[in-house]
Amino acid sequence: MALAPRLWAPAIRILEATGLKFEWERFSVGADAFEKSGAYIPKELVESIERTRLALKGPVEPRRPRLQQRQR
């Protein structure tokens, strides 16, 4: 599940209102990233933070444990 725009859009509007120019890079983290890449924090995200020394983090969905079916 992608982070809802109602959570990140206001922060982006505030930052862009400063008049500074931003090049946004978006990454999935948490359960979504794990399902796609096998990592909760993708390597590309870490590299981006190291390169730019910035991150705008929103809520992260934790991994949901799979419920085991009961056998009858």
Side-chain angles (χ1 to χ4, degrees):
M1 173 183 296
L3 180 61
R6 68 182 175 79
L7 299 174
W8 52 259
I12 290 174
R13 281 196 304 272
I14 290 167
L15 290 169
E16 290 179 341
T18 65
L20 298 173
K21 301 293 180 193
F22 294 90
E23 291 182 30
W24 300 103
E25 297 178 6
R26 296 183 181 171
F27 301 91
S28 292
V29 296
D32 286 343
F34 188 82
E35 288 178 13
K36 294 175 187 171
S37 69
Y40 290 102
I41 302 174
K43 179 181 173 184
E44 296 82 10
L45 170 59
V46 174
E47 290 171 350
S48 175
I49 294 170
E50 288 174 344
R51 184 179 72 256
T52 63
R53 301 185 48 88
L54 293 169
L56 176 61
K57 182 201 159 293
V60 176
E61 181 180 356
R63 182 175 183 197
R64 295 184 201 128
R66 294 183 182 192
L67 299 176
Q68 301 213 357
Q69 283 185 319
R70 285 194 246 170
Q71 293 182 353
R72 294 181 185 210

mmCIF file with all atom_site columns, all heavy atoms in Angstrom, residues 7 23 39 44 63:
data_model
loop_
_atom_site.group_PDB
_atom_site.id
_atom_site.type_symbol
_atom_site.label_atom_id
_atom_site.label_alt_id
_atom_site.label_comp_id
_atom_site.label_asym_id
_atom_site.label_entity_id
_atom_site.label_seq_id
_atom_site.pdbx_PDB_ins_code
_atom_site.Cartn_x
_atom_site.Cartn_y
_atom_site.Cartn_z
_atom_site.occupancy
_atom_site.B_iso_or_equiv
_atom_site.pdbx_formal_charge
_atom_site.auth_seq_id
_atom_site.auth_comp_id
_atom_site.auth_asym_id
_atom_site.auth_atom_id
_atom_site.pdbx_PDB_model_num
ATOM 1  N N   . LEU A 1 7  ? -0.956 12.344  3.618   1.00 0.00 ? 7  LEU A N   1
ATOM 2  C CA  . LEU A 1 7  ? 0.096  12.404  4.623   1.00 0.00 ? 7  LEU A CA  1
ATOM 3  C C   . LEU A 1 7  ? 1.344  13.125  4.132   1.00 0.00 ? 7  LEU A C   1
ATOM 4  O O   . LEU A 1 7  ? 1.953  13.884  4.863   1.00 0.00 ? 7  LEU A O   1
ATOM 5  C CB  . LEU A 1 7  ? 0.470  10.989  5.089   1.00 0.00 ? 7  LEU A CB  1
ATOM 6  C CG  . LEU A 1 7  ? -0.656 10.200  5.736   1.00 0.00 ? 7  LEU A CG  1
ATOM 7  C CD1 . LEU A 1 7  ? -0.225 8.776   6.016   1.00 0.00 ? 7  LEU A CD1 1
ATOM 8  C CD2 . LEU A 1 7  ? -1.116 10.878  7.011   1.00 0.00 ? 7  LEU A CD2 1
ATOM 9  N N   . GLU A 1 23 ? 14.200 17.751  -6.343  1.00 0.00 ? 23 GLU A N   1
ATOM 10 C CA  . GLU A 1 23 ? 14.014 16.621  -7.245  1.00 0.00 ? 23 GLU A CA  1
ATOM 11 C C   . GLU A 1 23 ? 13.651 15.447  -6.355  1.00 0.00 ? 23 GLU A C   1
ATOM 12 O O   . GLU A 1 23 ? 14.501 14.906  -5.655  1.00 0.00 ? 23 GLU A O   1
ATOM 13 C CB  . GLU A 1 23 ? 15.300 16.323  -8.029  1.00 0.00 ? 23 GLU A CB  1
ATOM 14 C CG  . GLU A 1 23 ? 15.652 17.392  -9.032  1.00 0.00 ? 23 GLU A CG  1
ATOM 15 C CD  . GLU A 1 23 ? 16.894 17.046  -9.820  1.00 0.00 ? 23 GLU A CD  1
ATOM 16 O OE1 . GLU A 1 23 ? 17.157 15.847  -10.040 1.00 0.00 ? 23 GLU A OE1 1
ATOM 17 O OE2 . GLU A 1 23 ? 17.603 17.984  -10.198 1.00 0.00 ? 23 GLU A OE2 1
ATOM 18 N N   . ALA A 1 39 ? 13.734 -6.917  1.014   1.00 0.00 ? 39 ALA A N   1
ATOM 19 C CA  . ALA A 1 39 ? 14.369 -6.038  1.995   1.00 0.00 ? 39 ALA A CA  1
ATOM 20 C C   . ALA A 1 39 ? 13.352 -4.997  2.453   1.00 0.00 ? 39 ALA A C   1
ATOM 21 O O   . ALA A 1 39 ? 12.618 -4.451  1.646   1.00 0.00 ? 39 ALA A O   1
ATOM 22 C CB  . ALA A 1 39 ? 15.581 -5.345  1.395   1.00 0.00 ? 39 ALA A CB  1
ATOM 23 N N   . GLU A 1 44 ? 18.582 0.929   -2.811  1.00 0.00 ? 44 GLU A N   1
ATOM 24 C CA  . GLU A 1 44 ? 18.479 2.184   -3.551  1.00 0.00 ? 44 GLU A CA  1
ATOM 25 C C   . GLU A 1 44 ? 18.099 3.349   -2.643  1.00 0.00 ? 44 GLU A C   1
ATOM 26 O O   . GLU A 1 44 ? 18.556 4.470   -2.827  1.00 0.00 ? 44 GLU A O   1
ATOM 27 C CB  . GLU A 1 44 ? 17.464 2.065   -4.694  1.00 0.00 ? 44 GLU A CB  1
ATOM 28 C CG  . GLU A 1 44 ? 17.849 1.070   -5.752  1.00 0.00 ? 44 GLU A CG  1
ATOM 29 C CD  . GLU A 1 44 ? 17.507 -0.380  -5.386  1.00 0.00 ? 44 GLU A CD  1
ATOM 30 O OE1 . GLU A 1 44 ? 16.795 -0.619  -4.393  1.00 0.00 ? 44 GLU A OE1 1
ATOM 31 O OE2 . GLU A 1 44 ? 17.964 -1.274  -6.109  1.00 0.00 ? 44 GLU A OE2 1
ATOM 32 N N   . ARG A 1 63 ? 5.564  -5.319  8.719   1.00 0.00 ? 63 ARG A N   1
ATOM 33 C CA  . ARG A 1 63 ? 5.245  -6.607  8.111   1.00 0.00 ? 63 ARG A CA  1
ATOM 34 C C   . ARG A 1 63 ? 4.140  -7.267  8.923   1.00 0.00 ? 63 ARG A C   1
ATOM 35 O O   . ARG A 1 63 ? 4.191  -7.300  10.148  1.00 0.00 ? 63 ARG A O   1
ATOM 36 C CB  . ARG A 1 63 ? 6.475  -7.499  8.091   1.00 0.00 ? 63 ARG A CB  1
ATOM 37 C CG  . ARG A 1 63 ? 6.203  -8.805  7.424   1.00 0.00 ? 63 ARG A CG  1
ATOM 38 C CD  . ARG A 1 63 ? 7.462  -9.607  7.315   1.00 0.00 ? 63 ARG A CD  1
ATOM 39 N NE  . ARG A 1 63 ? 7.178  -10.832 6.602   1.00 0.00 ? 63 ARG A NE  1
ATOM 40 C CZ  . ARG A 1 63 ? 7.958  -11.874 6.606   1.00 0.00 ? 63 ARG A CZ  1
ATOM 41 N NH1 . ARG A 1 63 ? 9.086  -11.857 7.263   1.00 0.00 ? 63 ARG A NH1 1
ATOM 42 N NH2 . ARG A 1 63 ? 7.635  -12.944 5.947   1.00 0.00 ? 63 ARG A NH2 1
#
